Amino acid sequence: MRARRRRTRITRAALLHDAWTEVIAHPSRAVLSSLGTVLGVAVLLASVGTAESASAHIVGLVDDLAARQVQVYNASESAFDRDPARRFGFDAVERVERIDGVERAATYSRLANVAIRSGTPEPRPAPQDAAVVSTSGDLTSAVGATVDGADLTGRGERPVAVVGRALARSLALADLERAPTVLLDGLAVRVIGVMEDVETRPDLLNAVVIPDELARTNFGLTAPSTVLVTVRLNAAKVVADQLPLALQPSGLAKFEVVRPPAPEVLRAGVAQQTRGLLLALGLLCLALGAVGIANTTLVSVLERRPEIGLRRSLGGRRSDVVLHFLTESAIVGAVGAVVGAALGVLATVVVARAQGWDPRIQPAWLLASPLLGIAVGVLAGLYPAIRSGTIEPIEALRAGAG
Amino acid sequence: MTALVEAVDVVRRFGATTVLREVSLRVDVGDRVAIVGQSGSGKSTLLHLLGLMDRPTSGEIRFDGVDLAGHRERDRAAIRARDVGFVFQAFHLLGRRTVIENVETGLLYQGVGSRERRERALAALADVGLSHRIDALPTTLSGGERQRVAVARALAQGSRLLLADEPTGNLDRGSTRRLLDLLDRVVGPSMAFVVVTHDQVVAERAARVYRMDDGVLGPEGG
């Protein structure tokens, strides 16, 4: 007669049920084991969620302004490029505003070596970094500024100027009602407005802005150096493609057109920048969580040697015992991750609301959390589980009373 | 007739210490065997070898006539799961599991479904008179009741060989008598029972009694 060699194997359902029962039978052990994973996943999701909410908010702001600005730089004034067929001229704004998708445009040229002084009885020189800028078109809107007083639109070559708030303060200019003046290379120019709250060209706060015509007739400006174009959202690329030909139909132009990155690229970039550090922090916490599970499971394996001996005596193989401990740590990891994900979402909502942002978190992160927890649990439980399989059953049974 | 389990010239050494010296023992279905001896004489080691929990240094452990000493662990585990039940002095119950969960644990490694596990566990607990304590935790049971749970766990497995290592070592006189009465009742003619004990009261219930003395097995009084 031969010994029966029927294969026995614990069913998957029984393994899962047995491991789950063991986990919930020791709630304090389970809580301690999962604490690291709870914390790790919570920080991870809070990091990702906060970064996404913040980047969505930032991109929203940028969309409204920078993402709608295209700049065109004129060809240089070298002998070759001075050819009018290669450059745009003073009619640039008129030409640009014909393009569909353009909301407004303005020229912007910094005039070199123009001395600025206040037109007061005792003229006061402007700071070194003050500049004279000439423009045509709606510069105020193009740079997202406000002007106290009047702006330059339609002023032709009359000697008028708008002065940045900082420069006005430096020159101690009188109130606009008293018709203050500034001297540009000795030419008295009346200040009709003060520019402030400049969003995209902060240098204008320290500048005297005059009309292009005045710059051409008095300061030798041959052509605008830059055109600032404000376009409708998402129209930047289309407009940028059309700008060179619109500005110079000869096709010989050598303009440099600078447009903002596409919103989705910008969004991804901002998200990546803001997420990177927080993500690293979350992963570090998760790694610490894994160490926590590994440590608690290892201690648990040593404490549960009599149970290991019992399981072996009941027909459990080494692999069954290893699998049992792995399943327990996977359960602890999964449960910890679910709790951690809930806390992470809560933290995201609280932080986002406190900052006035719309809370955002990718659903994929929520779905992936339990899987991440299982992976952490299995990885962390691997060494202790293998250790459990090396414990000799006789030795284990001698280790304690049940 | 083939023995259910048989040790043939078994030697077991742990390092330089020889614990069993060419021990032979045959146990047939229906046998009730007691092994007495002093602590450290090697009787528990023999029990573990018979239960396939350990391997001999030399000699054979035959189960149903097949020497399993050199067999793969999974084959030996399969026989332990189906044919061998253990009752330990220290009970070895899972402290945070209920009585019925403990008994069901005995069936985990047989690949039995949950419903069958529950039915067999309930039947075994009825056999040992603990139907009313199925949801109790072991910590709330007396020593005698805990040992009855351990017996129920072995019975639920449907084991043909029941091995008991000092089963009354932690019990008082009354509980010892009740446990022995229970074992007399539940160990049927299709099973074999081997008990290792210090206790003469336990040994007196066996049909055959052996004495282990410094790793050598001989008949009691022989």
Side-chain angles (χ1 to χ4, degrees):
Chain A
M1 195 160 105
R2 291 183 59 77
R4 289 179 295 171
R5 289 196 211 165
R6 289 168 296 177
R7 287 269 176 84
T8 54
R9 170 157 263 167
I10 186 168
T11 63
R12 280 189 202 133
L15 173 70
L16 205 59
H17 178 262
D18 189 40
W20 171 254
T21 310
E22 193 60 34
V23 168
I24 58 172
H26 297 81
S28 52
R29 188 170 73 197
V31 168
L32 277 177
S33 301
S34 63
L35 212 55
T37 314
V38 170
L39 204 64
V41 173
V43 171
L44 192 68
L45 257 76
S47 310
V48 171
T50 307
E52 279 179 11
S53 307
S55 66
H57 180 73
I58 292 164
V59 167
L61 293 178
V62 172
D63 279 351
D64 281 348
L65 212 66
R68 297 193 296 141
Q69 291 224 328
V70 180
Q71 296 169 33
V72 191
Y73 296 94
N74 214 345
S76 71
E77 293 191 40
S78 66
F80 178 75
D81 289 333
R82 196 174 289 174
D83 178 358
R86 297 179 183 277
R87 311 187 77 206
F88 57 75
F90 288 102
D91 59 350
V93 169
E94 195 182 321
R95 287 175 173 276
V96 166
E97 285 184 340
R98 285 188 209 129
I99 300 172
D100 187 30
V102 171
E103 289 188 343
R104 53 190 165 265
T107 60
Y108 174 100
S109 310
R110 282 176 80 96
L111 306 181
N113 305 319
V114 178
I116 308 169
R117 286 170 173 272
S118 62
T120 48
E122 288 181 11
R124 182 185 287 209
Q128 286 261 311
D129 55 345
V132 177
V133 171
S134 79
T135 187
S136 61
D138 186 0
L139 182 69
T140 307
S141 299
V143 298
T146 56
V147 168
D148 182 16
D151 66 16
L152 298 175
T153 314
R155 297 291 173 168
E157 53 184 289
R158 286 163 60 187
V160 292
V162 168
V163 178
R165 173 65 73 195
L167 183 58
R169 218 173 272 136
S170 301
L171 294 175
L173 294 180
D175 290 342
L176 292 173
E177 289 81 19
R178 296 166 67 182
T181 56
V182 289
L183 302 175
L184 304 179
D185 280 349
L187 175 68
V189 177
R190 188 183 159 203
V191 177
I192 59 169
V194 175
M195 185 177 280
E196 54 197 354
D197 300 332
V198 183
E199 290 182 3
T200 60
R201 288 273 180 171
D203 59 308
L204 289 173
L205 291 172
N206 203 26
V208 178
V209 185
I210 59 172
D212 274 348
E213 286 84 345
L214 184 63
R216 187 169 57 172
T217 53
N218 291 280
F219 301 104
L221 181 69
T222 56
S225 62
T226 311
V227 184
L228 306 178
V229 187
T230 305
V231 301
R232 284 200 302 267
L233 192 59
N234 295 326
K237 184 178 185 308
V238 176
V239 171
D241 289 346
Q242 296 179 57
L243 276 170
L245 210 56
L247 284 166
Q248 182 45 269
S250 71
L252 299 171
K254 294 185 73 178
F255 310 142
E256 185 189 356
V257 179
V258 178
R259 67 178 171 87
E264 59 272 18
V265 176
L266 189 66
R267 187 171 287 116
V270 173
Q272 194 179 355
Q273 290 285 324
T274 48
R275 190 189 293 161
L277 186 65
L278 293 171
L279 197 62
L281 185 67
L283 288 173
L284 181 68
C285 285
L286 204 57
L288 291 176
V291 172
I293 291 187
N295 193 36
T296 318
T297 310
L298 189 58
V299 171
S300 167
V301 164
L302 296 176
E303 281 176 355
R304 291 164 66 186
R305 289 199 306 172
E307 179 191 330
I308 292 168
L310 173 69
R311 289 179 181 279
R312 296 291 300 278
S313 76
L314 294 173
R317 297 167 300 178
R318 285 181 200 279
S319 58
D320 291 325
V321 174
V322 170
L323 214 54
H324 177 88
F325 277 95
L326 266 186
T327 309
E328 271 191 31
S329 52
I331 289 172
V332 166
V335 172
V338 169
V339 175
L343 291 177
V345 170
L346 188 68
T348 300
V349 171
V350 168
V351 170
R353 290 285 184 226
Q355 297 292 325
W357 307 333
D358 284 335
R360 289 191 186 196
I361 195 157
Q362 297 276 350
W365 279 101
L366 298 178
L367 295 174
S369 292
L371 299 177
L372 191 65
I374 289 172
V376 168
V378 168
L379 275 177
L382 205 57
Y383 173 69
I386 290 170
R387 277 285 298 270
S388 73
T390 62
I391 293 173
E392 286 302 323
I394 302 298
E395 191 188 313
L397 284 169
R398 284 193 192 117
Chain B
M1 190 177 116
T2 309
L4 175 60
V5 64
E6 187 174 16
V8 182
D9 297 332
V10 165
V11 173
R12 182 65 172 105
R13 292 193 192 95
F14 293 100
T17 309
T18 302
V19 178
L20 296 179
R21 302 167 194 275
E22 297 191 345
V23 168
S24 293
L25 175 69
R26 176 190 171 106
V27 179
D28 293 311
V29 170
D31 260 350
R32 299 172 70 83
V33 177
I35 302 170
V36 297
Q38 292 185 333
S39 293
S41 61
K43 54 191 190 300
S44 290
T45 302
L46 177 60
L47 199 76
H48 293 145
L49 287 165
L50 293 174
L52 306 178
M53 292 274 281
D54 192 12
R55 294 175 193 265
T57 308
S58 65
E60 295 181 0
I61 298 292
R62 295 179 187 156
F63 206 98
D64 281 337
V66 177
D67 177 22
L68 292 171
H71 271 229
R72 285 184 301 186
E73 177 52 26
R74 70 178 182 196
D75 295 330
R76 295 159 55 85
I79 291 172
R80 282 202 303 273
R82 291 186 185 280
D83 292 319
V84 183
F86 285 93
V87 176
F88 303 99
Q89 177 181 356
F91 316 127
H92 283 298
L93 300 178
L94 301 175
R96 300 282 185 99
R97 303 287 192 96
T98 62
V99 163
I100 193 152
E101 284 169 348
N102 265 283
V103 176
E104 284 187 45
T105 308
L107 294 162
L108 274 180
Y109 302 102
Q110 289 190 11
V112 172
S114 61
R115 182 175 294 178
E116 188 182 340
R117 283 204 304 272
R118 179 56 53 127
E119 286 169 359
R120 285 168 64 175
L122 284 170
L125 283 167
D127 281 347
V128 302
L130 282 176
S131 294
H132 62 298
R133 303 301 308 268
I134 60 171
D135 291 323
L137 290 174
T139 45
T140 66
L141 302 179
S142 68
E145 285 175 321
R146 289 189 209 185
Q147 203 57 297
R148 279 150 68 192
V149 175
V151 172
R153 184 173 61 198
L155 291 178
Q157 283 178 268
S159 312
R160 292 190 295 152
L161 176 62
L162 181 59
L163 302 173
D165 191 354
E166 301 283 8
T168 61
N170 284 340
L171 304 182
D172 58 31
R173 278 283 152 205
S175 298
T176 296
R177 186 179 46 75
R178 283 192 291 277
L179 180 72
L180 294 174
D181 290 346
L182 170 69
L183 289 169
D184 284 345
R185 185 164 53 79
V186 297
V187 175
S190 59
M191 294 173 69
F193 178 51
V194 179
V195 61
V196 160
T197 183
H198 279 104
D199 191 340
Q200 202 55 38
V201 175
V202 177
E204 282 169 2
R205 300 270 186 133
R208 287 190 285 144
V209 182
Y210 293 88
R211 173 166 290 278
M212 184 73 83
D213 189 10
D214 196 22
V216 177
L217 189 69
E220 170 74 335

